[in-house]
Amino acid sequence: MAFDRLRPNALILRLTTGAVLIGLLAWLLVELLTHTHFYATAVIVAGAMGVAIHGLVRAIARADQVMADALDTLTAGMADGVSRPVRDFPALAGTLEGASRRLHRDSLKRQAERDRLRALLDTVPAALLVLEPGGRIELANRAAYALAGGDVRSLDDIPTLRGAAADELRAMPPGARAVVQARAGRKLFASCSLMSRPGEAPVSLIALQGVSEDLGVVEQQAWGELIRVLAHEMMNSLTPIASLSESLARRPSAGADPEAHAALQVIARRSENLMAFVDRYRAMAEVPTPALSPVPLQPFADDIAQLMAGSFAAAGARFTIEVSPADLQASADRSLLEQAVINLLKNALDATATCAPPVIALSCLAGDGRRVLIAVTDNGEGVPPDKAEAIFVPFFTSRSGGSGIGLSLARQIALAHGGQLTVRPNRPQGAVFELSLPTA
């Protein structure tokens, strides 16, 4: 290698020869002009010197281009091809080749690190979005693409965020956290961070994570556990009371005191009623795991209409159904879904008891491509905003004689399917209960 570096090369010889030749021609031209009168020869010598100068200039330009190409290659960090643009400079070629290979190795390491970080981001369940100041999404992870259902270039490309939710996210200051109300009754926990970049405008990192389903499931599990514990303790206390009161009431001596006998009968009867009451509530906490299958919603809605026809007729209610598209399907346990929708329709009948005439509608519509929306709409008294969540709490009721389990059971069935049940006002009057489920 050292021997190769000491060997002259074509460009060096060319530059040296050109410089020597120009020097000789310049000396000869001076001699001809000062000591002789061979002007024709002087012109020829001057022409030859011009040609030599032109060749030298071209050689220098070639050397300049060689150096520029070498630096471009080094900047690109490419290991191959370095020796070609600097073949006329062996020592420089060796140095640049070594530097380029080091840069190439460092580039591969950085790319591997980027790939590792990207894979790590794709395993995060939260949707991560890098948002430029103009609103364009520069980078998104796999969860964000799943939320959008495809490619995502702006927040408005995500169906569940389109509209007010997207505007709220764009207006979030760095460090802010909030629960964003998205479409289809979904709630997303959002956090915003500011990322600075050298020489570039800072960007916002927005993290989105669904909270409605998770919190709803936890809440229902807590209520179910509470109901089971209370039912167990109450049954343990009521069973011996009912048994003892019945035994005492059947004794011959109980007839000697009619007042005591009547009291024992009341205790026995009330104990039995309380046991039936507790047993019914305990059943609410034991909703079976859904056996999912594709449920065509047009025949499903037709069957519901037939089942409820008598109740609607007795109430004088006008009932309509809408399924769009006609072949829409949901992934659900048909019997559980039927129970949930019937509970919602019974709730609508109660809410419209004072309306003339009651108007109730059942609609099954395609949501964002991954969800099906089943809505029950009425023109009843509506739900006050301060009770929008309380009505789903077990045993809560605003009607005299209500059990307070219909809506809670419907939400529990929705959550068991990986869906959600929400309520919103119906304009100009009434309420809309919307059940979201996965598509088949």
Side-chain angles (χ1 to χ4, degrees):
M1 185 67 175
F3 177 75
D4 290 340
R5 293 184 180 183
L6 293 174
R7 282 168 44 187
N9 54 69
L11 183 60
I12 295 175
L13 286 175
R14 185 176 176 183
L15 292 173
T16 305
T17 302
V20 172
L21 180 60
I22 291 172
L24 290 174
L25 290 173
W27 174 80
L28 180 59
L29 180 62
V30 171
E31 287 293 324
L32 289 172
L33 292 175
T34 56
H35 297 92
T36 69
H37 299 285
F38 301 145
Y39 298 112
T41 304
V43 170
I44 295 173
V45 171
M49 188 173 67
V51 172
I53 292 174
H54 177 71
L56 183 62
V57 170
R58 288 188 60 186
I60 293 173
R62 168 61 180 159
D64 181 64
Q65 185 62 45
V66 164
M67 294 298 296
D69 292 343
L71 291 176
D72 286 341
T73 304
L74 182 63
T75 303
M78 298 173 60
D80 52 356
V82 175
S83 60
R84 289 196 300 272
V86 292
R87 60 183 180 273
D88 295 325
F89 296 88
L92 179 62
T95 302
L96 290 178
E97 186 173 358
S100 183
R101 285 174 178 169
R102 287 193 296 273
L103 286 174
H104 188 63
R105 286 195 300 268
D106 292 342
S107 177
L108 291 177
K109 288 180 181 178
R110 289 193 297 270
Q111 184 61 45
E113 181 67 16
R114 285 194 295 269
D115 292 342
R116 188 181 72 84
L117 291 175
R118 183 57 188 255
L120 183 63
L121 290 176
D122 283 340
T123 62
V124 176
L128 301 178
L129 303 166
V130 176
L131 196 64
E132 293 182 345
R136 190 181 72 89
I137 292 178
E138 179 182 305
L139 184 66
N141 69 341
R142 184 175 299 171
Y145 284 107
L147 183 66
D151 195 14
V152 53
R153 294 182 177 86
S154 70
L155 292 176
D156 292 319
D157 291 337
I158 303 176
T160 55
L161 297 179
R162 201 169 291 147
D167 294 338
E168 185 176 352
L169 290 174
R170 278 189 284 263
M172 285 183 68
R177 297 182 178 185
V179 175
V180 177
Q181 182 68 51
R183 292 191 171 190
R186 299 191 66 184
K187 292 181 180 178
L188 299 172
F189 176 74
S191 61
C192 181
S193 304
L194 193 65
M195 297 174 56
S196 59
R197 301 177 296 180
E200 297 184 42
V203 294
S204 299
L205 174 62
I206 295 178
L208 298 171
Q209 191 161 10
V211 295
S212 296
E213 294 84 353
D214 295 338
L215 290 180
V217 170
V218 171
E219 178 184 347
Q220 291 297 324
Q221 288 176 344
W223 277 114
E225 188 62 30
L226 177 61
I227 292 170
R228 280 190 288 270
V229 171
L230 290 177
H232 178 75
E233 295 300 324
M234 292 174 70
M235 291 293 280
N236 285 346
S237 299
L238 289 172
T239 300
I241 292 174
S243 178
L244 286 174
S245 59
E246 287 178 359
S247 299
L248 290 174
R250 286 196 297 266
R251 286 188 177 183
S253 59
D257 188 346
E259 187 176 349
H261 181 72
L264 288 172
Q265 287 181 329
V266 171
I267 293 173
R269 187 167 58 253
R270 184 55 183 159
S271 297
E272 290 176 357
N273 291 339
L274 285 174
M275 289 172 65
F277 174 82
V278 172
D279 194 55
R280 183 177 60 176
Y281 278 10
R282 182 170 58 183
M284 188 190 70
E286 298 173 353
V287 174
T289 301
L292 301 180
S293 63
V295 177
L297 292 179
Q298 183 65 61
F300 172 82
D302 293 337
D303 290 346
I304 291 289
Q306 189 173 1
L307 284 171
M308 297 293 295
S311 300
F312 292 136
R318 182 161 58 90
F319 178 62
T320 61
I321 61 173
E322 177 191 3
V323 179
S324 179
D327 60 349
L328 185 63
Q329 295 185 350
S331 178
D333 184 313
R334 183 185 173 101
S335 61
L336 289 178
L337 181 59
E338 191 174 271
Q339 182 62 56
V341 174
I342 288 174
N343 285 358
L344 295 178
L345 291 173
K346 288 181 176 179
N347 179 76
L349 280 172
D350 291 335
T352 56
T354 59
C355 296
V359 178
I360 299 172
L362 172 63
S363 61
C364 304
L365 307 175
D368 57 5
R370 297 182 296 118
R371 316 288 289 181
V372 169
L373 305 179
I374 301 175
V376 173
T377 306
D378 64 66
N379 64 337
E381 57 193 21
V383 178
D386 59 335
K387 294 182 179 178
E389 286 298 322
I391 59 175
F392 296 109
V393 174
F395 317 139
F396 176 88
T397 180
S398 58
R399 292 188 298 271
S400 177
S403 64
I405 64 173
L407 293 177
S408 177
L409 181 59
R411 173 174 271 191
Q412 192 171 347
I413 291 173
L415 292 171
H417 282 79
Q420 183 59 276
L421 176 62
T422 58
V423 62
R424 68 174 189 271
N426 180 36
R427 305 300 181 192
Q429 180 181 339
V432 179
F433 285 84
E434 192 170 71
L435 178 67
S436 66
L437 296 174
T439 55

